[in-house]
Amino acid sequence: MTANRLIRSLSVTATAFALMVITTAPAQAVPNLQRISATTVSDSSTTKSVTAACPAGTSVLGGGGEIINGAGEVVFTGLRPTSTLSGYQVGAHEDETGYSGNWKIRAHAVCGSAPAGAEHVASTGPGSTGVTYTSVFCPSGKHIIGMGGQINNGQGQVMLLGSNPFDPAEVLTPAVPDDTGYTGTWTITSVAVCANPIQGRTVVFGSSANDSTTPKSATATCPAGTRVHAGSSSIGGFPDTNSLIRERVVPNTALTSVTATGRETPGAGSPDPWSVTAYAICAP
């Protein structure tokens, strides 16, 4: 073989190999994946709500939120994808004694091109004097790709304890009245974003130590080659659950992990061990 033919042969082989690598690389499950954030003003208003809106041409999968400078006297009333899948909404309310300081909340939406079969489903159930659980299930054949929950009419006296992904198709949302109780009528809504099964999708979690220190954090990290499509968290202890609040559920900007933070309420606190758990739904 002449030198020119050898060079040409090596060039063709290299090109074919490069094309093979490109064409066999795994496709991104949800193209245009990105995190969008929105923040309220900082003041002493009793209630606040904010929605991080997804860019045109994208849909919300999941998200998270933060209570900033709430000093343990502000509780989440909602962390959920909107019913139209256009964004992620976060709500919060001062506790029953109020809070004179300035505080704000931030919503984080994880947005992307809508996966096949994407739809919003929700289920609402009555509250009670103790821990209450409401579940929502995806339609047959679909898996959860996002999740959330909301307290309705809790007036800052009901703790939203989490939105827990039970693979592959259930979101369980627990809540409980605070340590002084609540005599009003309240309900809890569990929310899921469902889609056709996505190859490579997985649910991961990370938990803090189970002790009586406050505050504490936990991080769920996606496996290599995957990114966060949704995040959530849960908080709890035994027997005490009504003096614990979640303050942060945040997918990082690179969408490689979700970090959750919780604390004891001021004054009452919790003498019992408790922990916080972060969840992430990840896919290529």
Side-chain angles (χ1 to χ4, degrees), residues 42-45 48 68-70 99-104:
S42 179
D43 60 24
S44 57
S45 299
K48 291 186 173 72
I68 301 169
N69 298 326
Y99 177 52
S100 60
N102 292 334
W103 59 280
K104 58 185 177 181

Side-chain angles (χ1 to χ4, degrees), residues 145 200-204 221-223 226-230 256 280-284:
I145 193 68
R201 169 194 167 282
T202 186
V203 178
V204 297
T221 301
C222 287
T226 66
R227 299 176 72 197
V228 173
H229 288 56
T256 56
I281 295 180
C282 312

Side-chain angles (χ1 to χ4, degrees), residues 8-199:
R8 190 180 305 115
S9 175
L10 291 173
S11 177
V12 170
T13 301
T15 301
F17 179 75
L19 289 173
M20 180 183 69
V21 171
I22 292 171
T23 56
T24 58
Q28 190 175 7
V30 178
N32 303 313
L33 202 65
Q34 57 194 290
R35 193 191 80 171
I36 304 296
S37 303
T39 307
T40 66
V41 297
S42 179
D43 60 24
S44 57
S45 299
T46 302
T47 63
K48 291 186 173 72
S49 178
V50 63
T51 299
C54 290
T58 66
S59 295
V60 71
L61 304 173
E66 301 176 72
I67 298 170
I68 301 169
N69 298 326
E73 298 191 61
V74 178
V75 301
F76 283 124
T77 55
L79 290 155
R80 62 179 182 85
T82 61
S83 59
T84 59
L85 299 184
S86 59
Y88 194 89
Q89 187 175 63
V90 175
H93 196 297
E94 294 180 0
D95 64 20
E96 63 182 308
T97 63
Y99 177 52
S100 60
N102 292 334
W103 59 280
K104 58 185 177 181
I105 57 175
R106 181 172 295 135
H108 302 286
V110 179
C111 309
S113 299
E119 63 176 300
H120 174 283
V121 294
S123 177
T124 298
S128 68
T129 56
V131 178
T132 300
Y133 301 88
T134 297
S135 284
V136 63
F137 295 86
C138 289
S140 179
K142 294 189 177 183
H143 294 175
I144 52 174
I145 193 68
M147 59 221 143
Q150 179 170 305
I151 302 298
N152 309 299
N153 196 41
Q155 304 300 318
Q157 291 184 254
V158 179
M159 310 301 206
L160 184 61
L161 296 177
S163 290
N164 307 336
F166 283 84
D167 235 10
E170 178 188 5
V171 176
L172 178 70
T173 303
V176 67
D178 65 18
D179 54 322
T180 64
Y182 179 55
T183 59
T185 299
W186 61 280
T187 60
I188 181 170
T189 300
S190 189
V191 176
V193 178
C194 304
N196 295 346
I198 294 173
Q199 186 174 7

Side-chain angles (χ1 to χ4, degrees), residues 207-219 234-236 244-248 259-264 270 272-277:
S207 295
S208 71
N210 186 48
D211 56 31
S212 59
T213 60
T214 187
K216 51 173 64 92
S217 295
T219 298
S234 63
I235 191 170
L244 306 172
I245 63 170
R246 298 186 299 159
E247 283 194 320
R248 299 176 71 246
T259 297
T261 301
R263 70 168 58 242
E264 299 173 3
S270 173
D272 305 306
W274 62 277
S275 64
V276 60
T277 299

